[in-house]
Structure formats: C-alpha cells, structure tokens
Amino acid sequence: MNKDKKEGKNEIGKKRIMLITPMLHQGGFERICVFTARLLKDLYDVYLVVFSTKDIFYDVSGLHLIDLDLGAAEGKAGKAVNLYRRVKRLKNLKKELGIDITYSFGTTANLANVLSKGKDTTWAGIRGYNALSDRGAGLIFRRADCVVSCTRTMEAEINSAFRTKRSCTLYNPCSLEEIRELSRRETDEGTEGRWKGFVNRRGALIVSMGREDDLKGFWHLLKCFAVVKREIPDARLMIIGDGSYAEYRKLAEDLGIMESVCFTGALKNPFPLLARADVYALTSVSEGFPNAMIEAMVCGVPCISVNCKTGPSEILQDDHTVCRDRHKVYHADYGILAPIFEGEKDLNADTITAEEEIFAQELKNILTDRALYDHYKECAAERAGAFGTERYRTDIVKMIEGQGEMRHEI
C-alpha cells in the first residue's frame, strides 16, 4: 500500500469516509446513510459498509458497497461473537483503506465503530431517542470522537446524562426538488393505479407514513380517525409503510372504519400518494427526527403531530423550547402540536383516550376551517426549505473539514 493510502488520502488528496449501517431495509437512518453516501461521493472517497445486504430496499447503484456478511446472531453468546467479528473486520478495513472518518448509524453499528477505532475519527450517529437507553449507549457516548444527534433536544439530553468528547446536532436532509419531481410521477410498479380508486374517492384524505412498529403508535391514529369519521363521514385514512399491519387491520374492522382505511405497504416512491393528502398525521410514541413529516411538508401537506420528545417541535416551531408542555395543544409556527398519548398499547376498539379525542378534534379543525388549513399548507412548504440538501451538505462538509464544532441553526 502506498504512502498516500496509509495516510488516508488518494492520489488527489481526497479524504476517505466510511459510513456504516447494519442493513439497508426501509428505515429512517438507513435512508440517511445512503443519502449521505450519495451526497459525499463526488467530494470524498466514500465506502458504505453494511453487516448484511439481505433484503436491500434502497438503491445503492454507483456506491462503493462493502458487505461484511455478519448479520444478526441469536443469543448472548452469538451476539458477543458477532460483535467481536464485526470489530475485527472493521478494524482491518479501516487500516487497509486508510479511513479518515467513520460515521455509523444505529446502535449496533455505533458500537462496532467505536470499538474498532484505529487512526480514524469516529462519529456515532444517534437517530432515535431510544438509543439513549440501549445497551452499550454509555460506552458509545464516551468513546466516540463525536456524537451526532438529529435533534437539539437529544443532544442536550446526551450531554446531560453522559460524558462526551464532542457533540453536535445535524438535522436529517431532505431532497426537496427530487421529492417534488417524484410526486409528479406514478408510484413504483404502477401502485398508484392500484390505489387510484381509493385516492380519488370523495372526502378528506389523512395520510401517515412509517413501518409497522409500535413506536409509530398507529393504534392511536386509527382510533383518532374513527372519532373524525363521526363528524366527517367521507374522510379516509392511508398508512404507507412496510408491514402486514394484521393487528391494525383487525382494529380498523372492530372500529367499523376498514372501508375507509388502506395500508399500502412499502413504496419506493410514495410521494404521488403523499401529495394527494389533505393532512399528514404523526401519532408516534417516540421519534428521532421524523423524515416522513418533512417529506409531507415538501409536498405542501399541512401537519398535525403529537409533541413527542424529539423532532416534531423542532420542525414545527422556530423556538421549540416554548412548546415544552407535552400535554397542551400548540398552534405552532408551521403546524399543530397535540398532547402526547398516555398509557400502553391498546387494541381495544371500545377504548378512546382523552388525548386521542384531542388529536381527533385538531384533525377535524384543520379539515373544516379553510383559513386554518390554507395557513398551515403554506407554512408547511415554506418550512421544508430549512431542511434541504444543500444545507445538510454544507454542514457535514464543515464537520469533515474540521471547521470547529458545528451546530445546525434554522
């Protein structure tokens, strides 16, 4: 290996960046990892490393992809051996490729990254609030050269609870022009035609996006929608995301709303459907930074979100600290924040909580008050511009080039 490669530079002096994610399934941090690789590949030598390429959802054509072929293992012993193998492989790769900066996404990738540190600078990407309580979180936060959070609230909590070498907030990027262009196309594999009858039916269309995961709180959304239907009988609900949604289909049946609900499954291009929505609803128990809500705003869709701990308030309010009370309704600068939902997962159709009633009322308000609707529709498109590609590129390049501690201000 020549001297340039040992120093982490190629013949023209480009820095070498390694991005690590466990897999490339449909998911928030996986999308950001691939997006970052594409954004940086013309500026640096970028290597995208995954633990397994099984069931890849995202397009990785044109990227330098390395598969460690060390997917998930069962049992404590299996996981320990797997971590050892991942660390060993990564340490050798970093040395062989002369990596300058290694940026990882997700807890398992972060752990392998900080434990395989050589001469590289390690960045641990924290994309979800639950990562703060994951096993190994303390080790990751102490060892990473920089902890990269996707919200200021998350960064503050990490710095309060753990000792970090350095930290910053880097909001997730959104390709504004690409989304707008994709929203004018037919969805992948003709699926717009599949849902055309539902989308074109009369009545307000409420949309939410996310994989089938309890954190997304879709049982709350279905119950809120059932309440909306009492006063707006022709309203419809579309949930876009990966999963069978079997238990949610049953809940919709029990609520008597199934004919007004559709579950599309995963779509590579959901934007034509999203652009047809009248309102975007986010009912998550927890979020990191809700990319799907930003994507809805790009399409000019007004948003109502629960004020869960990280993400929504920073998107919908200029000064998110004024929305600290998570049990109040805020008609914020760029959308509506509703109280968080209390209690455990409840698939009983006969139980509607006070918070679900409040969320439903805010949905009814925006669907029946034209002035309110027009205001937040305009605000949504305006706010989306703060999370564009160029801003993200500028900020991450500043970090790579070591231009002091970067904090993304909008």
Side-chain angles (χ1 to χ4, degrees):
M1 187 175 290
N2 63 36
K3 182 175 181 294
D4 283 338
K5 287 187 177 180
K6 287 180 181 179
E7 292 177 351
K9 309 290 188 295
N10 65 11
E11 288 76 6
I12 59 173
K14 285 185 179 180
K15 288 187 177 178
R16 296 186 168 217
I17 313 295
M18 177 181 284
L19 304 175
I20 309 173
T21 185
M23 302 182 79
L24 290 170
H25 287 177
Q26 185 186 26
F29 69 73
E30 294 91 342
R31 184 188 71 83
I32 298 302
C33 183
V34 174
F35 188 94
T36 302
R38 291 203 176 282
L39 207 60
L40 297 180
K41 71 184 184 70
D42 294 332
L43 301 174
Y44 305 102
D45 287 337
V46 178
Y47 301 87
L48 177 57
V49 177
V50 296
F51 297 156
S52 172
T53 54
K54 183 181 178 182
D55 299 327
I56 284 185
F57 180 81
Y58 293 103
D59 178 14
V60 292
S61 59
L63 298 177
H64 192 146
L65 179 66
I66 300 174
D67 180 13
L68 297 187
D69 195 21
L70 291 168
E74 297 296 328
K76 289 184 179 180
K79 292 180 189 300
V81 170
N82 216 26
L83 176 60
Y84 171 79
R85 289 173 176 168
R86 289 170 178 174
V87 169
K88 184 176 180 181
R89 289 283 304 279
L90 284 171
K91 188 170 286 192
N92 289 338
L93 265 178
K94 290 177 180 184
K95 183 177 180 181
E96 177 186 343
L97 297 172
I99 298 298
D100 290 302
I101 295 171
T102 309
Y103 184 11
S104 48
F105 299 75
T107 298
T108 56
N110 287 335
L111 193 57
N113 183 16
V114 299
L115 291 175
S116 63
K117 178 177 170 59
K119 293 183 178 180
D120 59 314
T121 298
T122 56
W123 296 359
I126 309 302
R127 320 311 296 181
Y129 189 78
N130 284 354
L132 278 67
S133 57
D134 281 348
R135 190 173 183 179
L139 178 63
I140 291 167
F141 297 142
R142 289 193 304 272
R143 288 205 177 193
D145 293 312
C146 184
V147 176
V148 184
S149 300
C150 59
T151 69
R152 296 175 195 153
T153 302
M154 198 179 299
E155 181 189 1
E157 294 221 6
I158 289 171
N159 287 335
S160 174
F162 302 93
R163 181 174 296 177
T164 61
K165 297 178 183 177
R166 181 185 175 213
S167 68
C168 69
T169 293
L170 185 64
Y171 287 133
N172 291 347
C174 192
S175 183
L176 309 180
E177 290 307 315
E178 181 183 10
I179 288 173
R180 288 174 186 137
E181 194 276 327
L182 287 171
S183 72
R184 294 188 286 268
R185 295 186 190 176
E186 185 173 323
T187 58
D188 61 303
E189 300 171 356
T191 47
E192 185 179 30
R194 184 180 175 189
W195 305 115
K196 190 173 182 179
F198 184 89
V199 171
N200 288 341
R201 272 164 51 183
R202 181 181 175 182
L205 178 61
I206 300 165
V207 173
S208 193
M209 291 205 301
R211 67 188 181 280
E212 185 180 9
D213 189 312
D214 286 354
L215 289 177
K216 299 302 179 182
F218 285 131
W219 71 93
H220 293 302
L221 180 57
L222 288 165
K223 292 182 179 185
C224 294
F225 178 66
V227 175
V228 170
K229 288 277 290 179
R230 296 172 191 165
E231 294 183 26
I232 310 177
D234 59 359
R236 297 157 296 145
L237 173 65
M238 175 176 282
I239 296 177
I240 302 171
D242 189 30
S244 69
Y245 292 91
E247 61 183 359
Y248 295 120
R249 291 175 190 273
K250 183 179 185 305
L251 177 58
E253 292 279 4
D254 293 344
L255 288 164
I257 58 172
M258 190 59 210
E259 289 187 359
S260 299
V261 179
C262 79
F263 301 89
T264 70
L267 300 177
K268 290 188 177 179
N269 178 17
F271 304 114
L273 297 178
L274 189 59
R276 300 288 296 275
D278 292 291
V279 63
Y280 185 86
L282 189 149
T283 55
S284 296
V285 176
S286 174
E287 281 286 346
F289 188 85
N291 302 316
M293 188 164 76
I294 294 289
E295 292 165 350
M297 296 171 83
V298 175
C299 296
V301 181
C303 297
I304 299 178
S305 172
V306 290
N307 193 10
C308 55
K309 199 157 191 178
T310 63
S313 66
E314 294 187 37
I315 293 169
L316 298 181
Q317 179 71 24
D318 279 324
D319 179 5
H320 70 280
T321 62
V322 304
C323 302
R324 284 184 176 141
D325 189 340
R326 303 189 187 281
H327 302 281
K328 289 177 59 177
V329 171
Y330 294 96
H331 281 209
D333 295 325
Y334 306 101
I336 297 173
L337 291 164
I340 57 172
F341 298 118
E342 302 287 358
E344 300 299 317
K345 183 176 181 179
D346 183 0
L347 297 172
N348 182 354
D350 295 326
T351 307
I352 305 289
T353 68
E355 292 79 21
E356 288 163 350
E357 292 276 4
I358 292 170
F359 194 97
Q361 185 59 53
E362 293 305 317
L363 281 170
K364 288 184 284 186
N365 289 344
I366 202 167
L367 291 173
T368 56
D369 184 334
R370 190 69 200 187
L372 184 68
Y373 176 86
D374 289 343
H375 170 70
Y376 280 124
K377 181 176 178 65
E378 182 179 346
C379 288
E382 174 192 343
R383 182 57 160 178
F387 304 97
T389 300
E390 288 309 312
R391 189 148 201 176
Y392 179 82
R393 188 204 304 265
T394 298
D395 287 341
I396 198 167
V397 168
K398 282 182 181 178
M399 291 174 63
I400 291 169
E401 299 302 330
Q403 298 174 28
E405 183 174 356
M406 187 283 301
R407 290 179 185 274
H408 185 130
E409 299 293 339
I410 56 174

